[in-house]
Amino acid sequence: MKIVIYPGTFDPITNGHLDIIYRALTLFDKVIIGILLNTNKKPLFTTEERLEMIEKSIEGIKNIEVKTFDGLLVNFADEMKASAIIRGLRQVSDFEYEFQMALMNRKLNENISTVFLMPNEKYTYLNSSLIKELARFKADVSDFVPEIVNRKLKEKFL
Ligand code: COA
């Protein structure tokens, strides 16, 4: 059974993240979404809210699980018996940071590979900060996020 981890902050999950998840499901038997607990970022949504939004967004999809993790990603991957980590590459500017992380993770655990997937080009300019900024100023973000996220953003920025 080939298990892969898709890690991130997911503050909040976007259609770009979901696009990567669907692609990963065609390559692996099981995808585990790992929400990082202690991030340097100051998330808008609590861990519970992020977890709920992801769970609702992937409702009905088989071979997928959502978990939270703390500490090193490779340790979490190892614990989950995953052989790989998925990261999305949206543009060239993502590459340098991702390359560094992939090599460091490989140095930490030789048995876990990083696999890069490219989302549909319509999502290449998305990130969670941009979505939050648009929502804060009441712009319509419904094309970019799942319905539940759209609703939660509206509630946050009433
Ligand atoms: N569609 C839309 N947005 C996307 C995206 C996609 N397909 N892929 C990434 N993004 C966005 C995210 O929304 C996020 O936006 P934001 O910065 O505005 O919040 C940004 O791109 C990148 O963030 P994310 O994918 O959440 O990664 P991260 O950089 O916050 O976290 C971890 C990366 C969790 C993998 C890394 O911090 C980690 O492994 N931490 C654990 C500790 C560890 O092992 N450290 C050693 C690493 S060598």
Side-chain angles (χ1 to χ4, degrees):
M1 175 130 172
K2 289 251 172 282
I3 302 175
V4 71
I5 306 288
Y6 184 41
T9 313
F10 303 108
D11 185 46
I13 188 163
T14 68
N15 289 343
H17 291 124
L18 286 174
D19 182 285
I20 297 287
I21 292 166
Y22 298 142
R23 287 173 203 280
L25 281 167
T26 67
L27 299 172
F28 291 87
D29 300 312
K30 184 174 175 184
V31 174
I32 300 178
I33 302 174
I35 307 175
L36 180 65
L37 287 177
N38 277 334
T39 163
N40 293 331
K41 299 178 179 177
K42 283 205 164 62
L44 170 71
F45 292 101
T46 64
T47 308
E48 291 70 32
E49 286 173 318
R50 284 181 278 150
L51 193 76
E52 186 204 346
M53 285 187 284
I54 297 178
E55 276 172 349
K56 290 250 165 75
S57 307
I58 58 167
E59 224 163 42
I61 302 175
K62 283 195 195 120
N63 306 326
I64 187 159
E65 242 179 77
V66 196
K67 293 197 178 287
T68 57
F69 77 101
D70 218 346
L72 286 179
L73 174 58
V74 285
N75 292 350
F76 173 62
D78 205 34
E79 233 174 83
M80 294 296 116
K81 301 193 177 0
S83 55
I85 293 163
I86 288 281
R87 293 291 290 166
L89 271 190
R90 290 157 298 168
Q91 26 199 321
V92 180
S93 53
D94 282 343
F95 184 74
E96 214 170 318
Y97 172 62
E98 294 297 339
F99 184 66
Q100 191 183 19
M101 275 213 301
L103 291 183
M104 183 54 83
N105 281 329
R106 192 164 70 188
K107 172 85 183 140
L108 293 169
N109 189 330
E110 188 66 43
N111 301 319
I112 297 169
S113 302
T114 301
V115 176
F116 294 109
L117 293 176
M118 274 155 279
N120 186 302
E121 43 298 356
K122 64 185 176 193
Y123 301 128
T124 49
Y125 55 94
L126 275 193
N127 67 29
S128 299
S129 303
L130 205 58
I131 295 293
K132 285 178 280 191
E133 182 160 316
L134 291 176
R136 181 172 290 121
F137 295 113
K138 313 271 188 282
D140 179 15
V141 295
S142 57
D143 279 352
F144 307 126
V145 294
E147 178 50 36
I148 171 82
V149 175
N150 195 21
R151 197 153 17 96
K152 291 271 179 194
L153 281 167
K154 283 185 178 156
E155 284 168 21
K156 281 273 177 202
F157 296 118
L158 267 181

